Amino acid sequence: MPLIKDSKVTTKENNIVLFPKTLDYYQIQLTVMLENERYGEAMAMLRFLMQCQGQEQKQYDEWDALLQWLEAAFPQYVDSGGVTDVVEEDEVGEVELARRHARFKQEQDAGYGNKLLQMAMDGPLSEQTILALEQLSYLELPEIDDALLRWIKEREIHPLLQFRILQTMRRRGMEGIIEIRRGDEKAEIDIEAVPLQPGDFPEQIMRILERVADQTEVHEPTLFYFAQELWSQFVMAVYGTNDYRSMLVEEDGIQDIWAAALHQTVSESLGGNNNEEETRAIYGITDALRFRFEQAYRSMRLFVAAGMNTL
């Protein structure tokens, strides 16, 4: 991709400087837009970020590469700026538009499916990887099913990317239960039950985040904002594992345990309250629940230490 040499990044007329916390906020917003297929808004966000100052050239290059990729992959959103009241979009819906676009690209290039597979399977874990998987959801090529199945069963893959592959498999209409390695365990996954949207996760998962919201939303809104993002990534990464199944147990204290672990992990990551005893008291973690809290807390810290990817 070409280097960004446009004066709009460095001229004094555009004197917006992104500080670290502000940059983190925009990066998370960008991830949320991509996850929810708000591609027009994502493009507008990238154009704004590229006009700001204070970042290393590598960061501008990455934004430019992603913007160019989005513009090529989703030309129907290039000028939308996130506006969704286009007549055609209202009539057919975003999913149908995405399916039509993927089929059009396939008609123009018979090797388009293989190129998407190669981008997803051999490229670094990135937003482009996830977008390639989304487009693979809409191509009617049986060999894609076989390739995805071999990939997820035979190769060592980042757990977040594993989950995205499972979502693609479900969107493609694949069925059945598969056994894959998730971290250090083997997990049986029912493809037809894989959540496609945050709201598709069981109510127990949502209630854990609500417990954190009750304690932080008003007095510590920054902590809650990052807690939402970490929780979203964590539940995708552990989907189908023993940790995930433990969250679904209808037993007193389970939601408090995971809510406290989430609160403490985020608080430490933000350099805030490191007093674990105080956090346990907030969520009513008694001595009888402490060992299970420590297990949940350890799992979450390991996930963060391993490199939480906001994809």
Side-chain angles (χ1 to χ4, degrees), residues 30-39 94 134 197-198:
L30 180 61
T31 299
V32 171
M33 290 174 186
L34 293 173
E35 286 180 345
N36 291 281
E37 301 180 6
R38 290 153 51 194
Y39 301 125
E94 290 188 7
E134 288 184 4
Q197 303 292 337

Side-chain angles (χ1 to χ4, degrees), residues 10-30:
T10 57
T11 56
K12 295 181 180 178
E13 294 177 4
N14 295 289
N15 57 358
I16 302 173
V17 177
L18 294 180
F19 295 102
K21 291 291 185 183
T22 310
L23 178 61
D24 289 343
Y25 171 81
Y26 282 122
Q27 292 280 50
I28 291 173
Q29 286 287 88
L30 180 61

Side-chain angles (χ1 to χ4, degrees), residues 88-301:
E88 183 182 12
E89 187 172 327
D90 283 342
E91 291 177 351
V92 248
E94 290 188 7
V95 172
E96 181 58 28
L97 281 174
R99 182 177 288 109
R100 290 182 184 180
H101 173 67
R103 290 176 180 173
F104 172 77
K105 297 286 284 187
Q106 185 181 345
E107 291 171 0
Q108 298 296 309
D109 180 0
Y112 182 61
N114 288 330
K115 290 178 181 177
L116 287 177
L117 276 172
Q118 184 176 4
M119 180 183 298
M121 296 172 68
D122 299 329
L125 184 58
S126 65
E127 284 89 352
Q128 286 93 327
T129 306
I130 305 307
L131 292 172
L133 280 170
E134 288 184 4
Q135 290 190 71
L136 284 169
S137 301
Y138 306 114
L139 295 181
E140 295 181 357
L141 297 172
E143 58 265 33
I144 292 177
D145 293 351
D146 296 334
L148 292 175
L149 193 57
R150 287 195 305 272
W151 183 22
I152 199 169
K153 293 185 74 171
E154 298 174 4
R155 289 172 58 173
E156 185 175 343
I157 306 171
H158 191 288
L160 282 172
L161 182 54
Q162 272 187 328
F163 185 79
R164 300 296 190 176
I165 298 169
L166 289 168
Q167 288 182 315
T168 300
M169 294 169 73
R170 182 184 170 186
R171 288 191 181 101
R172 291 186 57 77
M174 298 175 66
E175 301 176 344
I177 296 175
I178 61 172
E179 185 179 272
I180 60 175
R181 181 159 290 281
R182 297 280 275 157
D184 296 329
E185 2 174 340
K186 286 185 177 179
E188 290 189 346
I189 307 291
D190 182 353
I191 298 175
E192 296 170 84
V194 173
L196 296 180
Q197 303 292 337
D200 294 340
F201 282 94
E203 185 180 348
Q204 296 96 314
I205 301 294
M206 309 306 295
R207 286 204 298 260
I208 291 168
L209 186 60
E210 289 171 0
R211 287 284 289 114
V212 179
D214 291 341
Q215 298 298 330
T216 63
E217 200 167 17
V218 175
H219 301 294
E220 298 182 272
T222 300
L223 190 150
F224 178 63
Y225 183 87
F226 284 98
Q228 286 180 292
E229 182 61 21
L230 174 57
W231 189 241
S232 170
Q233 302 293 312
F234 183 70
V235 295
M236 289 191 289
V238 300
Y239 180 79
T241 67
N242 290 331
D243 277 339
Y244 184 82
R245 287 192 292 273
S246 76
M247 300 172 193
L248 306 181
V249 175
E250 291 290 354
E251 183 179 312
D252 288 344
I254 291 296
Q255 290 168 24
D256 293 325
I257 286 168
W258 281 104
L262 175 60
H263 186 136
Q264 183 64 22
T265 303
V266 175
S267 182
E268 290 182 0
S269 299
L270 294 176
N273 172 35
N274 295 322
N275 191 328
E276 181 184 317
E277 184 177 348
E278 183 178 323
T279 301
R280 292 200 310 270
I282 291 173
Y283 291 90
I285 305 301
T286 62
D287 289 341
L289 297 175
R290 182 168 178 176
F291 177 70
R292 296 172 75 176
F293 161 78
E294 293 289 353
Q295 288 180 312
Y297 178 40
R298 180 176 179 274
S299 293
M300 204 162 290
R301 283 191 304 168

